[in-house]
Amino acid sequence: MRKLTSNRLLWPAVVLIALLLANLLWNHSFFDITMRDGNLYGAPVDILRRAAPVVLVALGMTLVIATRGIDLSVGAVAAIAGSWASMYIISSGGGSVGVVLTAVAVALLMALIAGAWNGFLVSVLGIQPIVATLVLMVAGRGLAQIITDEKILYPDNSPAYKLIGGGYLLAVPFSILLAGGIFALTAVLTRRTALGTLIESVGVNPEASRLAGVRARPIIFLAYVFSGLCAGIAGLMLTSNSTSADPNSIGLFIELDAILAVVIGGTSLAGGRFSLAGTLIGAFIIETMDAFVVIAISARSTDVFKACVVIVVCLLQSSRVRAWLLNVLRWGRPPSRPRRADPGPKSVPPAADGATAPTLTVPDVNVGSDSDSASGPGSLPVKAKS
Amino acid sequence: MTTSLAPSTPAARSRQRLSQRFEQYTQIGVTALLLVIMLIVGSLLYPNFTSGQAIFDLLSKNVFLIPLAIGMTFVIISGGIDLSVGAVMALGSVIAASLLQAGWSAVLVIPIVLFSASALGLVVGIMISRFEIQPFIATLAAMFLARGLCLVITDRSIAINDGFFQTMNLAHINLWEQETVNLRGRVRITDVYTTPSVLIAMALLVVAFVVMHYTRFGRTVYAVGGNEPSSRLMGLRVDRTKISVYVISGFCAGVAGLLFAFYTASGDPVAGIGYELNAIAAVVIGGTLLSGGSGYVLGSMLGVLVLATIYAYKEFDGDLNTGWTRLMIGVLVLFFIVLQRLVTRRRR
């Protein structure tokens, strides 16, 4: 029992189950899955399918966040990949499998390059992740607009391309299989090899892991490349599913959904330990929540609802709120302290007099102003290199 | 204390001060130079690019970006970031439009808009300073919230028919007369004008400049952004300053919402998507350090002008893809970030 409650995945899972039950209360046929034309249909399948791109982007985001980073550019990268593939498929006329494969390959290559660019800025130039990925977030949609010549493209001449986001394979939507496959691969790579541990060590304490001989640079770089790749695949999925590519709206705000999924899943934004399963549950929670709000309240209030969830989840992660809540749960009693007699002033070391303080601090200040001006309590020499 | 910080001889002191000044103003100088070059290139490429009216249009067509950039400057100098400004701006315009539609008077509506935008900023500020939530996430939630509230109020743009807003929409303040030569070579005498909205934005800029550089609060903002733990140890009111900064940003976004409502005579729930990025870009281009602690309000104004010039390129050249303007903004942001990186690295 104790093991169960201490599991980090418990609360997200409870929330997901509660949301599913709420959906069931509103719509009694919510869990019904039917076979139509040999394919599966139903609300759960819909939720899974809609969650597929978010799951992919959130996977990449999880690894990036685990390295103490963040990738804001995923929406723009999805837009680049989606628009390029659509443009290529339309301009080459036929939708033969070869054309689609070329389009997908080149689009994913572009996504890889975009990820490598982010990785270069963060790991080699050492720019803060928010700022570094902001550049591509702004410029990436511009690139997508240049690719599509400011038009909305409709790549509807290719059944092969339609398969990626809207097609079925063995009665299951292909996008679910694709996202599931990539999820499984990532899980194996990070949990069955040392890669996951290395990522966590870089995220928990870059300096300590450097001293332990972990080379952070390639690991951080790879995390961004992977995030770019995932975003690219998500972009293909989104454009293929809607058979349209609008550079302004492909994957708009998907970075927020992905970050939200990661945070709900219990991965701390401060980096370090990450949970891929948590991210998966987080993405499902978001999509189920959307479905619930659309059914029960109104489609227009999804964003308000989402905002409230983000705020509540963040507040729950905050240590101050937790301490306060614990106090409330203890029926407002003050935390029990050993009531010993006052040990008396003798055990207290002699307090520093006002007269001695300046002689202690002045040399410090001098040293600070000579060697490096910007050192203070907050910026201890973490960056010993460079 | 202070004497032990400075070098001993007066000559060395002045030399050090000079180099500090140089570092301080490098970025803003680069921005000003860039703006001049862009204007010159524009005037070589397109006729009338730097005619009097076109220069004033740079301001009047992007007037709502000025308050956003001002608010963002406060936040970024304090070491935070505010991703909610675009959505709060849209919320301001939507609140104004819907209340006016319901028959409220403009005298009431304007304070309500400013108050609700500031209140949202207050909530964000409390989340960030009291509950230690990362600014990035807290303002992201606020962005969702504001955008969602817009959509709850209305899912389509509401026209504003109120007299005062219409006046503000149409009013021109004529400055001087100017002879212009149009494309067919005909000479016309036109008035060079600006709009009341520009004057409002300029007034806000002056107030922000004074607050930032000549008040105790302004210096505290710099101190908090420069090094939060030491400013806490110095006894500065860090929490209060951080909350105030987000309230200011919310207030500025409210002003931007009103200016947007003046400019378009409507409230649009999907207005200003991506404006937070433009505001951040303007601040970065204006030479404010994204890690906080250093920057200028007037620099952000220069940044807005640089963005406005990029948009003017697009307007003067009908064939230019909108993508190029975004790409150009991205490249400029990158350039200035790398420049910041180099400057801060040299200082270490």
Side-chain angles (χ1 to χ4, degrees), chain B residues 94-291:
Chain B
V94 166
I95 290 178
S98 60
L99 288 182
L100 290 169
Q101 196 185 32
W104 294 48
S105 94
V107 184
L108 271 175
V109 167
I110 290 173
I112 288 177
V113 167
L114 295 179
F115 175 77
S116 42
S118 314
L120 197 60
L122 179 70
V123 172
V124 170
I126 290 175
M127 272 165 64
I128 291 169
S129 70
R130 298 278 158 172
F131 299 124
E132 291 162 356
I133 296 174
Q134 289 192 0
F136 164 68
I137 287 294
T139 56
L140 204 62
M143 169 181 162
F144 269 138
L145 190 66
R147 194 61 79 183
L149 286 175
C150 284
L151 287 174
V152 170
I153 294 172
T154 173
D155 57 355
R156 63 194 64 185
S157 173
I158 306 175
I160 296 176
N161 296 317
D162 178 76
F164 178 70
F165 277 66
Q166 286 288 343
T167 321
M168 291 298 277
N169 181 25
L170 298 172
H172 285 179
I173 300 169
N174 292 331
L175 298 173
W176 67 80
E177 288 187 342
Q178 191 187 34
E179 283 186 0
T180 52
V181 185
N182 68 6
L183 289 174
R184 294 197 194 87
R186 284 168 63 184
V187 179
R188 292 164 72 196
I189 294 180
T190 51
D191 282 317
V192 173
Y193 64 86
T194 185
T195 60
S197 300
V198 173
L199 295 187
I200 295 173
M202 287 302 126
L204 191 67
L205 181 73
V206 170
V207 172
F209 176 76
V210 171
V211 168
M212 203 70 208
H213 298 295
Y214 294 100
T215 65
R216 183 186 295 178
F217 172 75
R219 280 191 291 274
T220 314
V221 172
Y222 277 100
V224 170
N227 195 331
E228 195 181 321
S230 29
S231 39
R232 216 179 273 278
L233 291 175
M234 278 166 70
L236 297 175
R237 290 169 168 164
V238 173
D239 281 356
R240 186 188 277 195
T241 309
K242 279 171 109 176
I243 294 176
S244 316
V245 157
Y246 288 95
V247 172
I248 289 172
S249 177
F251 176 83
C252 288
V255 173
L258 287 175
L259 295 184
F260 186 83
F262 292 155
Y263 185 75
T264 59
S266 71
D268 188 357
V270 292
I273 289 184
Y275 269 45
E276 47 280 339
L277 299 181
N278 281 353
I280 295 171
V283 173
V284 173
I285 293 172
T288 298
L289 219 55
L290 264 166
S291 45

Side-chain angles (χ1 to χ4, degrees), chain A residues 38-118:
Chain A
N39 293 328
L40 293 173
Y41 280 89
V45 180
D46 249 15
I47 287 178
L48 284 179
R49 178 159 60 185
R50 284 230 307 276
V54 180
V55 166
L56 272 181
V57 173
L59 264 185
M61 191 71 81
T62 310
L63 297 190
V64 168
I65 286 179
T67 65
R68 282 199 180 178
I70 197 132
D71 189 351
L72 297 180
S73 70
V74 283
V77 174
I80 294 175
S83 348
W84 201 88
S86 307
M87 198 270 304
Y88 184 78
I89 287 168
I90 289 175
S91 63
S92 56
S96 72
V97 177
V99 168
V100 172
L101 281 182
T102 323
V104 167
V106 177
L108 292 187
L109 187 69
M110 291 172 115
L112 279 177
I113 293 171
W117 166 255
N118 282 333

